[in-house]
Amino acid sequence: MSARQRDRLKIPFKNCRGGICAPQGFLAAAERAGLKKAGLDLAIIFSDAPASAAACFTLNQCAAAPVQLCRRHLKEGSGKARAILINSGCANAGTGLQGVRDARSTVNAVAQTLNIPLTSVLVCSTGVIGLRLQAQRIIAALPACARRLSRKEGARAARAILTTDTVLKVESLAFKMGGRAVRIGGIAKGAGMIHPDLATMLAFITTDASIAPARLQEHLNWCVERSFNCITVDGDTSTNDTVIALANGASGIDVGKDTGMGRHGDTGTLTASPRRRVTASSATNLQKDLSLYFSASPRRRVTASAYPELFRAALLEICQRLARKIAWDGEGSTHHLEIEVTGAKSFRQARNVGRSIGRSNLVKTAIYGHDPNWGRVLSAVGASGERIVQSRIRLSVNQRVVAEQGVLKNIADSVFDPIWRKKRIHIAVDLGLGEHRAVCWSCDLSHEYVDINASYRT
Amino acid sequence: MSARQRDRLKIPFKNCRGGICAPQGFLAAAERAGLKKAGLDLAIIFSDAPASAAACFTLNQCAAAPVQLCRRHLKEGSGKARAILINSGCANAGTGLQGVRDARSTVNAVAQTLNIPLTSVLVCSTGVIGLRLQAQRIIAALPACARRLSRKEGARAARAILTTDTVLKVESLAFKMGGRAVRIGGIAKGAGMIHPDLATMLAFITTDASIAPARLQEHLNWCVERSFNCITVDGDTSTNDTVIALANGASGIDVGKDTGMGRHGDTGTLTASPRRRVTASSATNLQKDLSLYFSASPRRRVTASAYPELFRAALLEICQRLARKIAWDGEGSTHHLEIEVTGAKSFRQARNVGRSIGRSNLVKTAIYGHDPNWGRVLSAVGASGERIVQSRIRLSVNQRVVAEQGVLKNIADSVFDPIWRKKRIHIAVDLGLGEHRAVCWSCDLSHEYVDINASYRT
């Protein structure tokens, strides 16, 4: 959602500085351990106080060692955590029990260095699969890293977790509740092996809101479904996908009260509002509903009963921004794809159709080559595995209708020349079957993608 | 299966000449209608007598007009057909009702020209999606095409159906039953948009065996699952995928008797034989079982009770050869991938794992770049959606073990130099979960794939 759209919708979020260190009580640090050929490759995110922790991990059945260890610590630590250790340069995946032992030795060192319980340390790795983790290098770099811990190190930590990424992925938002500021910050990495399944790449989100681990997990699951699980770069689900959210309560604002949010169910819509109207934008239904909720009286102080909804909307906004940054930083990409599917029977149907388009090598190469071969989009809709009705499909590209009732229009190629000059290509598909929608993000497939991945290890 | 393997297994197939015209009573012809920029683009396959027809079509929900018309004709013609009209250069997909009308006008012209019933004509198209079919050009070229019909035109017909293909895909086999020769021939096209789902690209198979349409359809379904549905080039399921088999009975040999083949079920194994043993080769379980059946007395005349099994094995052989040719002619490919998955709980599990590897852009680019990044294969196994146990996976490449118990070995890159010099890369995955296996075929992902598909229409 652009700042303009947000203003128009009057959702009371404000961008703020600081990334993961924007919320009170969170510190970060980064160091070079020597796992990558050059540059920072080690980061710590630290919470002054025990924070509620929620996480989503890859559904890849060959989950990496750090993923296995994180799962165990979250369980044994009753959903509370203090620190996250992250390294780039080595995924510590396909490394068996030795990999788990290596990960544990680094986590142990973090617990001792920071004087916190072992199970309050989470760990994530990203990089080459199958290499043994050089745990000693990490352990040797830890004291220097710990000494750097401060609120000003958020950007360096965001840099330390990158691999083939070309841009930093940092976001932070502030909003008022009961006259107090609550903040959410997040960083992420990812540019290849991006086709998250129920969770994704690496993303770390911090907030000073107060919320129980179980509620935070509910919110995170809901938001991940609508953000990281809506992106694809190459259709390859990673072994290390992880999203972790920490909430330390430092703002003193409790956003965990139950206000019947279960009603929204899987569809992302609030219970019917007479004023609800579907408009074309990349905001989610929830955001639109919220906007109507808040726009009724934009200056009114948010009442406590709306805290959970506002918090979830802000969490979703952070997740979607980070997810979009990952998709649009896709390896070798030259165009950003936004795929909006409307008229679906369910959110899931809409998303599956969107991801099928975003995953199609043929759609992606056509866009790279500025070839208005929209038939490939139609084919990808049909190949999504979802039951659709061909004769109801309406397809448009940057507001230009290219197919109606499932029939492609005969449009001169030159009509699309202005579209190719834009970085962002917006593909809208209306399935004509229902009222649900989803937005997915992807990128084109270029020679550079082949270059990058034909020699990733070397 | 190589000729050597076949000899060793003593399956009584022989290669023969003639492709789709090898079986008695089948004629073919090709012409230029002017749908492609250059070269042949129109073909007819014709049976002297009404033939039992079976077909598998794409599960892409945006099925092309010719697919819709074929389905109707097969139903209305009670599973009998005389002719197949095929054009390249235009897929007649995404063309709505107009597309069906255009396809029908060409089928009508074929029926009149050849003086056969309308419903005995099937029709297939391949090429650009979304273009209207230039039916008049086809109709104008039909008389000349019909005049060319002969047994010698098989190769020209095989050429006329190609688009981005670089090699002809023609196969024919002969075998003896009751002292008489029975033949099966086939042609296929396809190099991109290859990720067949229950059916595939274009493939046409003829035989002079005698068999009822329903039995032929059973055999075809079974064989397609183990051949065309085991290949992938780019993960994109086409709108026009079609396999048609015609059996005209001209050999006088009935292969349609029921001998309890239902027992083989979905797994491709005959009921247990004490001598059964799993060996590493690309032959299917059925073929191995048959080999044991026949090798008991290789010179013995095949008894009538074995006709259905032998016929199905020959049909499978043709389907697998054509499928492999498609995968290995993948757009821009420089290496042929054969992925053998063993130790699976079911054939379907084995195939899903194999296709997940064959579909992975990261595996494909690594092989293109001669980067022994086998962790990507492990990741693709885990991302297949199948329940597997990481610690049981054993992975080898051209007989060299690269991972055991889910742990990648530390092997010097130079060890793989001899493998990269080979055109064919054989990836073997043992899941350690059961006794089922599948073989899948794919190719690498190169700069040329991007080139071809960035400017397919232009």
Side-chain angles (χ1 to χ4, degrees), chain A residues 16-63:
Chain A
C16 66
R17 296 165 63 92
I20 39 167
C21 296
Q24 296 174 58
F26 282 101
L27 310 177
E31 258 298 332
R32 168 156 175 78
L35 306 175
K36 283 201 296 207
K37 273 181 202 147
L40 298 170
D41 49 16
L42 191 68
I44 297 177
I45 301 171
F46 180 72
S47 171
D48 277 346
S52 291
C56 296
F57 299 104
T58 182
L59 285 198
N60 190 310
Q61 305 255 320
C62 289

Side-chain angles (χ1 to χ4, degrees), chain A residues 264-299:
Chain A
H264 312 164
D266 199 44
T267 64
T269 53
L270 293 171
T271 44
S273 141
R275 296 172 56 205
R276 216 172 95 220
R277 201 162 45 95
V278 176
T279 59
S281 94
S282 61
T284 64
N285 287 334
L286 175 67
Q287 285 167 325
K288 289 198 206 96
D289 288 325
L290 270 177
S291 75
L292 295 165
Y293 181 90
F294 290 112
S295 64
S297 167
R299 282 160 204 284

Side-chain angles (χ1 to χ4, degrees), chain B residues 141-193:
Chain B
L142 269 179
C145 194
R147 276 193 300 274
R148 294 192 72 99
L149 278 171
S150 85
R151 295 197 67 175
K152 292 180 181 165
E153 285 271 305
R156 281 183 90 238
R159 185 173 308 282
I161 67 175
L162 304 185
T163 56
T164 55
D165 309 59
T166 65
V167 299
L168 277 189
K169 298 169 181 75
V170 180
E171 292 289 346
S172 34
L173 290 177
F175 44 98
K176 291 259 178 177
M177 283 173 166
R180 288 155 113 166
V182 181
R183 291 186 181 85
I184 301 188
I187 60 173
K189 70 82 51 180
M193 204 174 249

Side-chain angles (χ1 to χ4, degrees), chain A residues 61-76:
Chain A
Q61 305 255 320
C62 289
V67 169
Q68 297 173 40
L69 200 61
C70 269
R71 284 202 181 111
R72 197 183 308 164
H73 281 196
L74 279 171
K75 206 169 152 190
E76 293 173 359

Side-chain angles (χ1 to χ4, degrees), chain A residues 60-61 63 94 236-237 359-362 365 369 371 373 376 379 382 388 390 408 413 447 451 453-454 456-457, chain B residues 60-61 63 94 130 236-237 359-362 365 369 371 373 376 379 382 388 390 408 413 447 451 453-454 456-457:
Chain A
N60 190 310
Q61 305 255 320
D236 280 64
T237 301
R359 180 181 186 161
S360 163
N361 281 352
L362 291 169
T365 45
D371 182 2
N373 199 338
R376 291 179 174 175
S379 179
I388 51 103
Q390 188 176 178
L408 283 148
D413 286 8
H447 285 115
D451 280 334
N453 287 298
Y456 179 60
R457 287 169 65 259
Chain B
N60 190 311
Q61 304 256 319
D236 280 65
T237 302
R359 181 182 186 162
S360 164
N361 281 351
L362 291 170
T365 44
D371 182 2
N373 198 339
R376 291 178 174 175
S379 180
I388 52 103
Q390 189 178 174
L408 284 149
D413 286 11
H447 285 116
D451 279 335
N453 286 298
Y456 180 59
R457 287 169 67 256

Side-chain angles (χ1 to χ4, degrees), chain A residues 375-388:
Chain A
R376 291 179 174 175
V377 176
L378 202 69
S379 179
V381 172
S384 65
E386 292 293 330
R387 257 205 112 61
I388 51 103

